[in-house]
Structures are given as C-alpha cells and as structure tokens.
Amino acid sequence: MLNVHSVAGQVLVLQIALIALLVAAAGATLALQAQQASLQEAKQRSAVAALAFAHAPGTAAAMESADPTAQLQPRTEAARKEADLDYLVAFSPSGIRWTHPNPELIGKHVPGNYAPAFSGRTYTTTSASHLGSAVDSTVAVKNADGRVVGLIAAGIKVQRTNEWALQRRPLLIVSAVGALVVGTVGTALVSRRLRRQTHGLDPAEMTRMYDHHDAVLHAVREGVLIIGGDGRLLLANDEARRLLALPQDAERRRITELGLEPDMADLLASGRAATDEVHPAGDRLLAVNIRPTAPYGGLPGTAVTLRDTTELQALTGKAEIAQRRLKLLYDAGMRIGSTLDIARTAEELATVAVPHFADVVSVELLEPVLRGEEPTRWPAPMRRLAVRGVPEDSAVYRVGERIRFVANSPVAAGLADARAVVIPDLRAEHEWRAQDPGDTQRILDNGIRSLIAVPLRARGVVLGLVNFWRAETSEVFGDEDLSFAEELAARAAVSIDNARRYTREHATTITLQRSLLPRALPEQSALEVAHRYLPAQAGVGGDWFDLIPLPGARVALVVGDVVGHGLHAAATMGRLRTAVLNFSALDLPPDELLGHLDELVNHIDTDEARTNERGGGSWGGETGPGSADDGVSGGGGARAAAGAEGSVPSPPSASDAESSLVGDSGAGITGATCLYAIYDPADGRVTLARAGHPGPALAHPDGTVSFPEVPVAPPLGLGGGMPVETAELTLPEGSRLVLYTDGLIENRDRDIDTGLELLRTTLARGGPDRSPEQTCGDVLKALLPQRPSDDIALLVARTRLLAPDRIAEWEVPSDPAAVGPIRSACMRTLESWGLDEIGFTTELILSELITNAIRYGAQPIRVRLLHDRALICEVSDGTSASPHLRRAATTDEGGRGLFLVAQFAQRWGTRYTPGGKVIWTEQTLDESHPSGGPDDDGGVDTLLAQWDDPTP
C-alpha cells in the first residue's frame, strides 16, 4: 500500500492531477474552437442573409413605397423562417422599424449604433439580447441613385455546442483513463525503488533531519559545540566559530590545541556540567552552558552552548533606542496633521523631530503644493516653510524664501529619484558645498556636520523635502537613522498631502459657491439695496440671497438657506436659486412661487432617495435591432451669476475636513428654507411669504423697529401640499427692510430670541438716516460671532416710491369708441413727460392692447403708464384668458396685433391678479428703436410681409 505522505504517494497524486489538468485543458481548447467556429458561422450567415435580402429585387422599391410595412413584413418573415434566422428587421434611415417578428415593435425606434452601415459596408456586432447571445449584421439598402433608403438587420443566435467535440468525447475519456493507469503503475515502481534504497526510512524524516542539522550549523544565533569523550571537537556551528575564532580545520582536533583562552579551554576539556558561566574569549564575554550527551542516547561526550553577553548588552541598548523612536513616531502621529493647514503641518513635523532626533530640522515644499496643486514635473522651485533648532536669523534660508537646488547636487539627485540622501560629513561633500559656497559655509560655521534629506512623498508624488541636521556634538547619521527619518517623513507626507488636497478642495468649493451667488445686484429704482455674505469658519454652506427686477417697476427680494456645509450644500443652493429665478420670470405671487419650489424640492429629494437605494445612478439598456425596449434620457443644467462678498476661512481641523468640503451628498435637500418678498414702488406695498425661514426686520422712518408677522410654512420639501400664506404690508418711503439667514441671529453661544433683540437694538440705535450699506456694517459689527459656525446672508433694502406725477391711470369703458380718447390722453401724458420720441410706438402698442381688452376682456378695464427707467404700459381687465402669439394666415383679418406689440416693445408679458390679468410692455427711454419698428423705414411693411405666402 502506498502512503500518501511518502514521496511515491505524492508523486502519484501530482502525476494524476497533471494528467487531469492536461485532459481538462484539451477539452477546454476543443470547446473554445467549437464556440469560435459557431460564432464565425453565425456571423457569415447573418451577413449573407442581410446582404441577400438588401439586394433582392423589389426591396429598395418597397422601402420607397407609401406603406413599406405592408410590402416588407410578409417577405422578411418568409425569408427569416427560410434562412432559420432569429430576426430579420427592416427599418428606415432614421431608425424607425418597418418590420419585426414581434409586430408590437413595428414603428418604434431602433436603439444602438447603426451609423457605420450608411458607409455601404456590412456592420456586424455581437451582443446579448432577450433572444440570447446573438450576432447582428446591418447593411444599407440603396436605390438606383445610390441614396440610402433603408437598412436591413439580420440576427442569429450563437450555437454553444460543438458537435465535433461531443463525438470525440469517448475517445478523450478513454485516453485520460489510460494515462492515469500508466502514471499510477509507474509511480508504484518508483516508490518501491526508493523504499528499498532508503531501507524503509521515510524521505520526509531524512529531509527533516538534514534541515535541523543545517539550521543548527548556520541559522542558530548561539554557539554550539559537540565534544567527544576524548576531548576532541566533533562539531561546531558558524556562531561558535565566530565567537571562539576557531580555525577552519578545528574539527577532530583537541580543544586544548585550538588556541583558546586557558580558562575557556580548561572548562571545555573538563567535561563537567556548567550553567551560564561567564568566561572571557578575546574581547568578548561568553556565557557557557555544558551538558553531557550520554544520558540522551549519544556517545560519551558533552554538548556546549555559547552566548555573547557583550552583544546582548548592545542589543539592549538598541532596544531602548528603538523604544524611544517608537514613542517619537507615536508622538508624531498624534501631533503632526492636527489641522489641514500646510504651513502648520510643516511646523509640526519640524517641532516633533527637534531635539529628540535631530538638532536642526528644515521643511521645504514645492510651490504647486502650497497652492493645493499636485506637482507634475521636476525640477520645480521650492519654498521653506519651517525651521526648528536654530534662530531664523541664523538659518541659511528664511521661512518663505524660494530654494533651488543645483542639478548635480546630492539633494537634487535624491529629489529626482525620490530617495533619501545621507551625508555623514558635510565638510567632505564637495558637490553639496558647490551648490552655494557662501550659504553652505554658514551651515558649517554653525557647527552642523551631518545631514539626512528625505523627500516628502505621498501616493507616488514628491511634495517637498525635509532636512534633518546634526551638530558636531551629536553622533553622525547612520543607516538606522535613515530608516527612522524615512518613516517619520512618510507619516508627515500623508498629512501634508491631506492638507494640500483640502486646500485644493476648499478653493474649489469657494469658487463654486461664489459662482452661484450674485456678483452684483441688478439696477432698479424701487429699492436702495446693500448685501453681505460671510461663509462659515468651518467651510462654505448653502445660504443665498437675490434681487430680481419684476415687471411694473416691482422688485423681488429673496433670502434662502440650505442646511449643511460643503459642495453638496453649495450646489443645492445653486439649484434652488436658479429655480427661484425661473419661477420669478413667470411673475408668480410669493405664495405660489414657494408652493412650486416646495414641490420641486420634494421631487429632488425623492429622486435622490431612489438613487441612494440603488447605490448610485446608472445608464443601461439593450442594444441592437432585435431589442424590445428603447430609452431616451436627458438632463438639464442651470446657470447662475458669479461672485460673493466675504473672506476665505482658515482651515478646520482634520476631523472636519471631509464634511466641510463635500458634505452629505446623499442626504437630499430637505431642510432648505426661503423668504420671498415682492415690493411695488407704485403704492409702497410689499407682499411676503416664507417657508421655514426667519421673518424680516422692519426699521420705520421714525426710528422704530418691528418684526412683521409673516405666516410661516414648513421648510421646502416638507410642505406636503399645504397652502402657503402671505402677508401684505404698506411701507412708508425710507423704510428699511432687513432680510437675513439664521446664522446672523443664532449660534452656539446665543439663542434666537437674544439674537433678535440684539438686531432690534442695533437697527434702532443706527437711526433712520443710516444707508443700507451703513446698516449692513452696523449689524455685522454687533451680531457677527468671532468664529461663525454657519453662513450669514444679509440683505438691507430701503424703500422708494414712484412720484405721483410719474404714474397715470385711466378707466376704459367697454366701447370701441373709447380707444381714441384714451389714446389721446396717453399721448398728452407722454408729452408732459418729455417722451415724444417713443410716442408713436407707444400709441400703436396701446391701441392694440386696449382694443384686445375691449373685444375679448371684461370690466373693469384699466390703463396705467409708469415712467421709471423704462416706460411701462399696463392694460388690465377682469378675465384670466392669456393671449398668445400666433401666425395669421393671409386670409385672416386679425391676429397680427400681439405680434406687432412684441416686435415694438423691449419686453412684454402677462401678469395674473386675483381679479383678472395685466398685459404689460416695457420700452426704453433713449432714442434707439427696435429694428423693424414704426420709426424704421419700411419697418411695418417688413413685419406684415412675414405673413405673405410665397409665390408658387
């Protein structure tokens, strides 16, 4: 019986496994060959079928017929069944299917890329569809003029079974069994031969005995001697030869003839037992242990072990040094990288290493690293960021100075190769001294003698250099010091790289946030506005503000807040600000606008929740003409103005870095708040609505300060379809309306009630004559905390009123004859305002709007003119039907008026009111006129000519 632990048994198992592996490899090769042949056959069949049908007589004519499906569907199905294809599809050049085995897919778009087929060649692809693994060939069908009139796609499944391999499987099995039998018989014969020659000793035991003997001779770090009963040396390992300085031919010689110390020689030759007796041997002290060998089955003699206590003492000293350095590395891990400031991290590295490892430490970083960039080339200029161990005045390079290394200097070579450099004696290093003879001499004059320069390397990129210097009173640097310096530099490099990436990400976040806030507020006459935006000390957030001009000289004021900090909060703020701008363009009242914004936030939160449940978004779908489903996806973007006031905060601690910069990207935007107000300078009324946001403060012209009661709705995304209520106030001219975010009045050290009272006191103390700019300064000076934990957005608006002589209004009866008198009154008003230049255009616009209101509207009908930065014409009526631009036919008697109004006015639109609607237009007050206007020669004719049908 063969033992599986014997050599013969192991050879048998390995040989059987090898044969089985070869058989499996052969089978796999045959299977792959069969699969490849099937795939090639499928490609040829699909290509031939597609080409044959594409060039068949009548195919091109059928595609150009009025109903290609009726003519091609029977033919393609017949050809598919005859050619044994899985599908044969004909479709238009635009991708619309004419035929398909599944009639439900006829008329649908073909997904995938079939553009290569338009070049005239056969385009073949292999894909996995609902039919299985298939080969698809697509060819173009051209008419007699060479124009592509359609495409043909033929698909066939790939056959996975290779019949040739299946037919030969019995032969393969028989061959494998025969090979296993032959291998087993051969292995048995080899095993018998081995056992006979080794006299039954297991080869594993022989190997183990040899390994033990060899380990004793060469690997054991204690000296071992075997001495015979006659005093002759029988065995000595390598360590014993080194400790006793034995000659090469020491074995078989007497102990007393080996030149040992007399005391040592007498002890070894005596044969007595000894335990840890210390005896001199040259310049060493050896601990000697002696035991007889006879009691353990050996021949008479002694076994001796020797241990060098001198080296043990040295090792003990090294262990103490290693322990101190481990503690230093622990301290470095705790002290280096406490903040994400690059300069502070460099100073911490220098402070940790002095004086426990080096007398002087200097840290230099590449200039791109200081800007948060990743260095991409060498050589590059460096700047010294930290020096410890000597006064800065005596240092060769001051902190902040630029440093350049000579290309052939040792330090430059080490930086180029990203390796540490040790210079034990700087006085003997001529290339180092040649870099800058004057400055290097100053280093030597300060007593510096030894240097280790270690590149600061993280993620395979060199960020800078740390220099460890030792004075002549300290030991020179050695190899063990180099290993420790590299470990210390590696730990510091990770912290510096984290600080560099924080600097880059922080700059990116600040740039994004500023780009999403308004750079400058638009010009308008209704309000005198000042604003401030201050980011939080720990990172940017999602507070925003805006001022939006509205039709009718009105202005919208917006202040909002997105809970959280980082890129996600800033990006969310941009999305909400863009949405508010878009909703404001529709001229919605505040309650409706916040209702739409709440619904939008709810949709966004729902989409993000679904994305998080799936673990992230993805795009996917079947491809190929045989696919059953098609999909089209799209996205939108937002554009916002750039810039903001404020300053860049100092870096936070490392524990706050990721949350400050990135934020919780999967948390949705629930928790956003908004306050939206519309001010009308014609009557001084302001309409306000808020969703979870603090209410405004109002400083009256008489110096009193109040906080108007504005009904509060839930934060955006939490409204649940509940209606938003509004508040309407009439403000005297000169009132200051103060809008802000909660970061101004609430922080860790102050509750909201205290903040509101402090805001009230500040506004009252400033007096009614303070400008909005001065008011912003007063408020921030009084309420701004020393280290803001949240963003602060502040908007101060002082109200203005349109002069009564710049407002004109008329009631219009429902009589077409009233158009003339109203138009004449309007023209007289324009003359009194000095707007004769635009009189004719205004007359035309008013005529069209008043006529439409009388014809299609209901009472009351009013006309109002506002003389502001532009001339605003408003015609209101009691219906909510909205007019629309349309193209009138040549036979229509009307339908062109609103088009003319749109051409002649700078802007126009419709605003809905509780009692109806207002159609308004704006015209510039300068002498420029719209191209094609009534003052343009031939302008009206040109406009009217757009309705003329072309001459056949």
Side-chain angles (χ1 to χ4, degrees):
M1 294 295 293
L2 290 177
N3 187 357
V4 294
H5 297 289
S6 66
V7 175
Q10 295 176 8
V11 170
L12 176 61
V13 173
L14 290 175
Q15 197 165 8
I16 292 175
L18 179 62
I19 293 174
L21 180 62
L22 291 175
V23 172
T29 302
L30 291 174
L32 290 175
Q33 289 178 349
Q35 183 179 8
Q36 185 65 26
S38 299
L39 178 62
Q40 188 63 30
E41 181 181 357
K43 289 183 178 180
Q44 292 177 356
R45 288 181 59 188
S46 65
V48 169
L51 288 170
F53 193 86
H55 294 90
T59 299
M63 289 182 175
E64 291 183 312
S65 65
D67 190 358
T69 299
Q71 298 190 27
L72 291 176
Q73 177 69 3
R75 296 175 57 188
T76 55
E77 284 302 295
R80 179 181 67 82
K81 294 177 181 179
E82 182 176 354
D84 195 19
L85 299 176
D86 290 288
Y87 62 83
L88 185 64
V89 179
F91 54 97
S92 68
S94 60
I96 302 303
R97 295 187 181 98
W98 286 328
T99 68
H100 197 279
N102 184 0
E104 294 181 357
L105 297 180
I106 296 176
K108 295 186 177 180
H109 190 272
V110 177
N113 182 20
Y114 45 82
F118 284 93
S119 62
R121 60 186 179 89
T122 302
Y123 179 62
T124 302
T125 58
T126 303
S127 62
S129 67
H130 67 288
L131 299 175
S133 181
V135 173
D136 178 89
S137 295
T138 304
V139 297
V141 179
K142 299 181 180 180
N143 59 9
D145 299 333
R147 181 172 57 87
V148 174
V149 296
L151 296 98
I152 297 296
I156 186 172
K157 292 182 181 177
V158 179
Q159 300 295 330
R160 297 181 177 272
T161 305
N162 192 304
E163 298 178 357
W164 182 86
L166 292 176
Q167 295 173 357
R168 289 159 177 77
R169 183 162 55 184
L171 178 61
L172 180 63
I173 294 174
V174 171
S175 301
V177 173
L180 289 175
V181 172
V182 173
T184 303
V185 174
T187 301
L189 294 176
V190 171
S191 177
R192 290 182 59 187
R193 180 85 175 185
L194 287 175
R195 294 180 63 85
R196 185 168 57 250
Q197 290 183 350
T198 57
H199 303 285
L201 185 62
D202 196 307
E205 296 180 359
M206 295 180 62
T207 302
R208 184 168 61 254
M209 291 176 62
Y210 173 79
D211 291 340
H212 292 171
H213 180 270
D214 196 56
V216 171
L217 289 179
H218 305 293
V220 174
R221 296 300 297 168
E222 288 190 358
V224 178
L225 300 175
I226 303 296
I227 301 175
D230 56 356
R232 295 180 182 275
L233 179 63
L234 300 181
L235 178 67
N237 68 349
D238 293 347
E239 186 67 8
R241 292 177 181 275
R242 185 183 70 84
L243 295 176
L244 298 176
L246 297 176
Q248 293 294 330
D249 58 347
E251 294 180 351
R252 299 296 177 182
R253 294 175 60 181
R254 293 185 179 276
I255 292 296
T256 56
E257 300 174 355
L258 298 178
L260 303 178
E261 295 285 343
D263 186 40
M264 178 67 72
D266 293 341
L267 176 63
L268 296 179
S270 65
R272 67 178 177 85
T275 302
D276 287 340
E277 295 187 9
V278 179
H279 295 269
D283 57 350
R284 302 175 184 274
L285 292 177
L286 303 181
V288 183
N289 289 274
I290 302 177
R291 294 290 184 274
T293 59
Y296 304 100
L299 296 175
T302 56
V304 181
T305 61
L306 308 171
R307 186 172 68 254
D308 189 353
T309 59
T310 305
E311 292 188 357
L312 181 61
Q313 184 177 3
L315 289 175
T316 303
K318 292 181 179 179
E320 293 177 354
I321 296 175
Q323 184 178 7
R324 289 197 300 269
R325 291 190 174 175
L326 283 176
K327 184 178 182 302
L328 185 59
L329 287 176
Y330 174 79
D331 292 340
M334 297 297 294
R335 296 171 59 184
I336 299 177
S338 61
T339 67
L340 288 172
D341 181 72
I342 296 177
R344 177 70 177 275
T345 304
E347 293 174 358
E348 291 170 344
L349 169 60
T351 303
V352 166
V354 175
H356 303 289
F357 178 67
D359 297 316
V360 180
V361 174
S362 60
V363 182
E364 295 92 28
L365 296 180
L366 296 172
E367 288 187 344
V369 175
L370 303 179
R371 299 189 296 267
E373 302 171 2
E374 187 166 334
T376 57
R377 61 182 180 87
W378 173 259
M382 309 178 72
R383 288 193 183 274
R384 176 157 292 173
L385 289 192
V387 176
R388 286 292 183 275
V390 294
E392 185 178 347
D393 294 339
S394 62
V396 176
Y397 295 103
R398 310 295 189 271
V399 173
E401 287 188 0
R402 176 178 288 191
I403 301 174
R404 291 186 180 272
F405 295 98
V406 178
N408 58 354
S409 67
V411 176
L415 281 171
D417 299 336
R419 59 178 176 84
V421 176
V422 181
I423 304 178
D425 189 357
L426 294 173
R427 293 169 297 184
E429 187 61 46
H430 300 291
E431 293 182 352
W432 174 79
R433 299 188 64 179
Q435 173 176 313
D436 193 338
D439 290 334
T440 55
Q441 185 61 42
R442 289 179 57 193
I443 294 177
L444 298 177
D445 293 342
N446 285 331
I448 302 298
R449 292 291 181 268
S450 185
L451 167 67
I452 292 181
V454 185
L456 293 168
R457 189 166 177 262
R459 299 181 297 104
V461 178
V462 174
L463 306 175
L465 180 73
V466 55
N467 298 302
F468 302 98
W469 313 80
R470 280 185 181 175
E472 55 189 355
T473 56
S474 304
E475 294 182 2
V476 299
F477 287 115
D479 294 338
E480 294 182 356
D481 296 318
L482 176 61
S483 301
F484 176 78
E486 290 177 332
E487 177 67 20
L488 185 60
R491 296 192 178 199
V494 174
S495 298
I496 291 175
D497 187 57
N498 289 338
R500 178 195 63 81
R501 288 189 289 175
Y502 171 82
T503 301
R504 179 191 62 194
E505 297 297 337
H506 189 269
T508 301
T509 307
I510 290 291
T511 301
L512 172 63
Q513 185 192 41
R514 290 183 174 180
S515 68
L516 296 176
L517 289 172
R519 177 178 301 174
L521 299 182
E523 295 182 358
Q524 42 78 39
S525 303
L527 299 169
E528 180 185 355
V529 181
H531 61 90
R532 293 289 189 276
Y533 176 82
L534 296 177
Q537 194 76 6
V540 297
D543 291 14
W544 92 92
F545 62 91
D546 216 337
L547 184 143
I548 308 169
L550 299 177
R554 298 169 303 135
V555 175
L557 298 172
V558 190
V559 174
D561 186 4
V562 176
V563 176
H565 296 87
L567 285 172
H568 183 255
T572 300
M573 174 267 289
R575 298 167 74 179
L576 295 183
R577 178 172 178 258
T578 302
V580 171
L581 289 171
N582 291 334
F583 288 142
S584 297
L586 301 177
D587 207 352
L588 300 176
D591 53 342
E592 292 186 20
L593 185 142
L594 291 183
H596 287 297
L597 198 62
D598 176 77
E599 185 179 357
L600 173 65
V601 171
N602 189 40
H603 284 314
I604 294 175
D605 281 339
T606 302
D607 292 341
E608 292 195 5
R610 292 173 179 171
T611 301
N612 293 334
E613 290 176 358
R614 295 194 301 265
S618 60
W619 301 97
E622 295 184 359
T623 58
S627 302
D629 298 320
D630 301 328
V632 178
S633 299
R639 180 185 64 173
E645 296 187 10
S647 58
V648 179
S650 60
S653 62
S655 60
D656 299 332
E658 185 174 353
S659 61
S660 297
L661 290 174
V662 179
D664 188 359
S665 60
I669 61 176
T670 300
T673 65
C674 184
L675 170 62
Y676 189 84
I678 296 179
Y679 175 70
D680 190 347
D683 52 15
R685 286 185 300 179
V686 59
T687 305
L688 306 97
R690 59 182 177 135
H693 199 85
L698 179 60
H700 298 273
D702 59 2
T704 60
V705 178
S706 64
F707 294 94
E709 290 292 336
V710 180
V712 59
L716 299 176
L718 302 176
M722 296 178 59
V724 180
E725 299 183 25
T726 62
E728 188 173 290
L729 307 173
T730 300
L731 305 182
E733 187 171 11
S735 301
R736 287 172 294 165
L737 189 64
V738 181
L739 283 65
Y740 50 87
T741 56
D742 59 356
L744 179 70
I745 58 175
E746 184 180 15
N747 55 52
R748 299 172 182 173
D749 304 323
R750 185 175 61 210
D751 60 27
I752 188 170
D753 293 332
T754 303
L756 290 175
E757 186 59 32
L758 184 57
L759 177 60
R760 180 199 302 271
T761 304
T762 303
L763 293 176
R765 185 174 57 246
D769 297 332
R770 304 288 287 177
S771 67
E773 193 69 31
Q774 293 171 331
T775 303
C776 284
D778 295 340
V779 170
L780 291 182
K781 183 178 180 181
L783 280 79
L784 182 65
Q786 184 176 3
R787 183 181 175 86
S789 59
D790 194 5
D791 292 13
I792 295 175
L794 176 63
L795 198 63
V796 179
R798 182 155 61 184
T799 61
R800 296 170 178 165
L801 292 176
L802 281 178
D805 59 355
R806 286 179 170 249
I807 303 175
E809 190 170 4
W810 298 270
E811 294 284 342
V812 181
S814 298
D815 184 1
V819 176
I822 296 297
R823 184 173 55 199
S824 299
C826 291
M827 293 304 100
R828 289 192 297 269
T829 301
L830 291 182
E831 291 178 2
S832 65
W833 288 344
L835 302 180
D836 302 20
E837 292 289 336
I838 60 175
F840 182 66
T841 303
T842 307
E843 184 178 7
L844 179 59
I845 292 174
L846 288 173
S847 297
E848 294 296 337
L849 295 182
I850 296 173
T851 301
N852 286 340
I854 294 174
R855 179 178 298 178
Y856 305 108
Q859 287 291 339
I861 301 175
R862 294 184 180 91
V863 176
R864 187 171 72 162
L865 298 181
L866 301 177
H867 183 193
D868 193 38
R869 292 177 177 268
L871 177 63
I872 302 170
C873 302
E874 296 181 348
V875 177
S876 62
D877 65 79
T879 63
S880 59
S882 177
H884 296 283
L885 283 174
R886 68 184 183 89
R887 184 180 186 276
T890 55
T891 57
D892 291 344
E893 296 183 359
R896 301 174 177 83
L898 195 58
F899 182 83
L900 295 176
V901 170
Q903 293 292 317
F904 296 156
Q906 188 76 14
R907 293 194 309 155
W908 78 281
T910 303
R911 178 172 75 252
Y912 295 96
T913 64
K917 67 175 181 298
V918 176
I919 303 177
W920 56 268
T921 64
E922 287 188 8
Q923 299 167 253
T924 58
L925 303 182
D926 55 18
E927 297 181 358
S928 61
H929 304 285
S931 176
D935 295 325
D936 184 11
D937 294 338
V940 176
D941 294 336
T942 302
L943 288 173
L944 295 177
Q946 298 182 31
W947 275 269
D948 294 339
D949 292 335
T951 303

